[in-house]
Amino acid sequence: GRHLQGRYHKRDNAKLAAVNEEVFALNDSVNGSKKAYLDFEVEDEKAKGGDSPTIQRVTIELATAALPKTCQNFLALCQKEEEGNLTYEGSKVFKIEPKVGICLGDVTENNDGLQGSCHSSSNSSSDSPYSFEHESVVLSHAQKGMISMLSTGLDRNDSRFVITTVDDAPHLDGKYVAFGRVSEGIELLEDLVKNTYTKKGMPGVNIKVAKCGIL
């Protein structure tokens, strides 16, 4: 494969992981929120029978010092909807890629992953009122649990994002802006990727963000 014989062959994951640590360490020099949470609700057959669905929390550490705009967009969408603003609460996991991770974050009415919308405070482009520009690609996907914007092109970041559940995803570097990592709860996401039935990547059960917020 290309990652073995092409440009990824000499990829030094240990060095890239060390750089990631340095980027997150920059948070010590800034004030403000640096963590958020997503409470996932998995609706299985048992839950449909009347029992309460399973809800588990994933805690996320954000690289707010290095990527302030991307992180602020994420934090804003983690808050409750008010004054017409959108929120991750109620959004669904719309795709599961076993060799990458889970995709979610469509905060639009359709909630199907085909589109997204940034928080109103993040947009700075008259060309696209639903997206914002790329920030630095200083973080790599050389670690499990990295969180990246799922942009449709350069400077087309909206609300959608991916959380990796593999040890390395080199093909995402330079394409998507990584801005955070899972600090607690990666086991839940790994279990979802491993055990959720999918059809062309779409999960066969309803997996949604029941609640989210800032820590």
Side-chain angles (χ1 to χ4, degrees):
R2 186 179 184 186
H3 67 292
L4 294 179
Q5 300 176 3
R7 59 176 173 156
Y8 308 136
H9 180 58
K10 295 183 179 180
R11 183 175 171 86
D12 189 337
N13 282 36
K15 184 175 181 179
L16 292 171
V19 172
N20 283 357
E21 291 297 331
E22 292 177 3
V23 173
F24 283 104
L26 295 174
N27 282 347
D28 295 338
S29 63
V30 298
N31 296 320
S33 300
K34 301 156 190 166
K35 285 191 175 184
Y37 70 88
L38 303 173
D39 286 346
F40 285 88
E41 177 182 300
V42 182
E43 182 186 79
D44 53 21
E45 293 301 322
K46 185 177 180 180
K48 291 179 182 179
D51 292 338
S52 299
T54 302
I55 297 179
Q56 290 180 268
R57 175 164 295 188
V58 171
T59 303
I60 297 164
E61 179 185 7
L62 300 168
T64 51
L67 299 148
K69 185 159 191 174
T70 308
C71 292
Q72 184 52 45
N73 179 68
F74 186 83
L75 288 168
L77 290 170
C78 280
Q79 299 182 70
K80 284 189 174 294
E81 183 176 6
E82 54 184 41
E83 298 182 2
N85 285 323
L86 302 170
T87 176
Y88 283 132
E89 187 170 310
S91 63
K92 301 176 182 178
V93 172
F94 57 81
K95 194 170 186 179
I96 294 178
E97 292 280 3
K99 295 183 179 180
V100 180
I102 68 168
C103 304
L104 64 157
D106 182 351
V107 297
T108 66
E109 185 176 353
N110 291 334
N111 198 3
D112 56 10
L114 295 179
Q115 58 186 336
S117 179
C118 65
H119 191 268
S120 59
S121 62
S122 301
N123 175 258
S124 59
S125 171
S126 58
D127 295 333
S128 177
Y130 308 110
S131 61
F132 62 97
E133 66 275 11
H134 272 44
E135 282 190 291
S136 171
V137 289
V138 64
L139 286 173
S140 70
H141 300 82
Q143 294 173 289
K144 185 184 298 182
M146 296 303 295
I147 303 171
S148 289
M149 298 302 300
L150 274 176
S151 60
T152 57
L154 182 63
D155 298 332
R156 294 287 180 177
N157 300 291
D158 44 55
S159 56
R160 292 167 292 177
F161 61 97
V162 57
I163 306 179
T164 65
T165 55
V166 293
D167 292 327
D168 191 21
H171 54 293
L172 302 187
D173 284 1
K175 182 179 182 181
Y176 298 138
V177 177
F179 62 94
R181 63 184 176 186
V182 174
S183 58
E184 295 179 56
I186 189 64
E187 299 84 4
L188 164 65
L189 304 181
E190 290 177 304
D191 182 68
L192 290 176
V193 171
K194 181 179 179 181
N195 297 310
T196 301
Y197 169 78
T198 62
K199 184 176 182 180
K200 295 184 178 180
M202 296 179 62
V205 294
N206 187 26
I207 306 169
K208 71 177 184 178
V209 177
K211 189 178 179 182
C212 53
I214 298 173
L215 297 173

